[in-house]
């Protein structure tokens, strides 16, 4: 005897959003790993601070944190502005992505490191924008 599971819209949305978070983390980690295998030096130096190496752990933590914050922001928008949640959240996601490049501009790092780290920002945004908002009907 087996129990059939029925996917409700809430379950489907939860799974899609969890997949979006996972995709954001995996994509950014994959970009970092390709850079590392290609010999990119991920040492970055910010004015007034000691140099640090951006490792895989930092990539996972930042990507996961950004993805979960994006999910929380979308959930709040959906709760309070049902009809406008999707376009407002997508606009907010694009704005936050563009603003996330500011630290890369002021950071001392190799061109390869800046390119790879910038690509991780874009990968997180693409995964979240594609998978977090509810599908249009």
């Amino acid at each position: 005897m087996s129990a059939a599971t029925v996917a409700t819209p809430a379950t489907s949305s939860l799974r899609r959003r969890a997949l979006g978070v996972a995709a954001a983390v995996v994509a950014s980690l994959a970009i970092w790993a390709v850079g590392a295998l290609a010999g990119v030096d991920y040492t970055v130096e910010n004015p007034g601070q000691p140099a640090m190496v951006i490792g895989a752990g930092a990539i996972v933590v930042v990507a996961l944190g950004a993805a979960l914050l994006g999910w929380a922001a979308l959930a709040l928008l959906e709760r309070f502005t049902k009809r406008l949640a999707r376009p407002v959240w997508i606009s907010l996601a694009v704005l936050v992505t563009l603003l996330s490049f500011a630290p890369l501009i002021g950071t001392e790092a190799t061109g390869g490191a800046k390119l790879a780290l910038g690509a991780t920002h874009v990968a997180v945004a693409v995964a979240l924008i594609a998978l977090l908002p509810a599908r249009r009907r």
Side-chain angles (χ1 to χ4, degrees):
M1 186 167 151
S2 66
T5 59
V6 177
T8 64
T11 305
S12 172
S13 177
L14 179 65
R15 285 184 184 160
R16 189 183 71 254
R17 289 178 179 182
L19 176 63
V21 170
V25 172
V26 169
S28 61
L29 190 57
I31 290 167
W32 178 89
V34 167
L37 289 172
V40 172
D41 177 12
Y42 285 111
T43 302
V44 297
E45 231 180 303
N46 291 314
Q49 296 180 355
M52 63 185 255
V53 177
I54 306 295
I59 295 295
V60 169
V61 167
V62 172
L64 181 60
L68 292 175
L69 284 172
W71 187 346
L74 179 59
L76 284 171
L77 283 168
E78 287 174 337
R79 181 173 175 96
F80 295 110
T81 62
K82 196 77 153 163
R83 197 173 66 95
L84 295 174
R86 186 178 201 275
V88 168
W89 185 84
I90 290 172
S91 299
L92 182 63
V94 169
L95 177 64
V96 168
T97 302
L98 292 174
L99 291 173
S100 76
F101 291 115
L104 285 175
I105 294 168
T107 298
E108 292 295 323
T110 64
K114 286 186 176 187
L115 181 65
L117 293 173
T120 64
H121 293 216
V122 173
V124 169
V126 168
L128 297 181
I129 290 170
L131 294 169
L132 259 55
R135 298 282 183 235
R136 290 193 169 204
R137 294 178 185 161

